[in-house]
Amino acid sequence: DGYLAVAESEVRHIQRSFVALSDYENCQSDSEGLLKSYASSISKMKKGHRKLKSTWREVNNLFGELSAVLRDSDVFGDLIYAEGCESPLAQQTLQQARFVLQSMIFLLHRFQAASLRAPDLEEMKESVSQIRKAYHQAREGCAIHK
């Protein structure tokens, strides 16, 4: 949410810069006003880039923590043990992890749209692997009982 608010502010400043450029081209403002608008837009863009990077680090770290908790605490195993092989809570937990992953993919697209170097994806890939492995291990006994 924090990144989206900063990104929206960046877009508003870019729109204002287009208005300032149009005003300048139509002789309704001077170059000083145009330069101020441009400088403000650049400042907001840099702030947006910093927020995107910090948001990525935060989400990536939290996703790693989530995968570690799911794996180390055998959350899926406990849910399947308590609710059976088609455990709604196990499926819901897996779906929530997918939502986090989708949000991270959105952030990756924002890196690309901003022409920024993509962040390292190894931690994210490892987290996905841990969650997938924890879920499949918890369901191993289900195939035997069918």
Side-chain angles (χ1 to χ4, degrees):
D1 291 341
Y3 167 70
L4 291 178
V6 171
E8 287 175 12
S9 176
E10 180 183 346
V11 169
R12 282 193 302 275
H13 276 78
I14 290 170
Q15 290 171 334
R16 288 183 196 140
S17 290
F18 284 130
V19 170
L21 178 60
S22 177
D23 288 348
Y24 178 75
E25 287 176 339
N26 294 315
C27 300
Q28 295 175 350
S29 75
D30 58 10
S31 61
E32 185 178 332
L34 178 60
L35 290 174
K36 284 182 182 179
S37 179
Y38 175 75
S40 177
S41 291
I42 294 298
S43 174
K44 289 294 182 182
M45 181 184 69
K46 289 179 180 178
K47 182 178 181 180
H49 292 176
R50 287 190 305 272
K51 185 64 176 175
L52 176 59
K53 290 174 184 177
S54 70
T55 299
W56 173 264
R57 284 189 302 272
E58 181 180 354
V59 172
N60 195 37
N61 289 339
L62 289 172
F63 193 53
E65 289 178 27
L66 173 65
S67 71
V69 167
L70 292 173
R71 179 198 65 217
D72 296 345
S73 300
D74 192 24
V75 171
F76 292 121
D78 290 345
L79 293 172
I80 288 171
Y81 177 79
E83 298 182 326
C85 290
E86 300 303 319
S87 166
L89 286 178
Q91 292 175 12
Q92 182 180 22
T93 302
L94 185 62
Q95 184 61 38
Q96 289 171 342
R98 286 183 182 133
F99 288 148
V100 174
L101 182 60
Q102 289 170 349
S103 297
M104 293 178 78
I105 291 169
F106 165 78
L107 291 175
L108 286 172
H109 287 293
R110 297 305 308 149
F111 274 90
Q112 184 179 17
S115 298
L116 296 173
R117 186 174 61 104
D120 182 17
L121 302 180
E122 287 309 309
E123 286 181 44
M124 181 187 77
K125 290 177 182 179
E126 180 61 26
S127 296
V128 168
S129 176
Q130 287 179 9
I131 293 169
R132 181 181 294 129
K133 185 177 179 183
Y135 182 76
H136 289 297
Q137 283 179 339
R139 291 192 42 87
E140 280 178 350
C142 294
I144 295 170
H145 298 297
K146 283 188 174 182

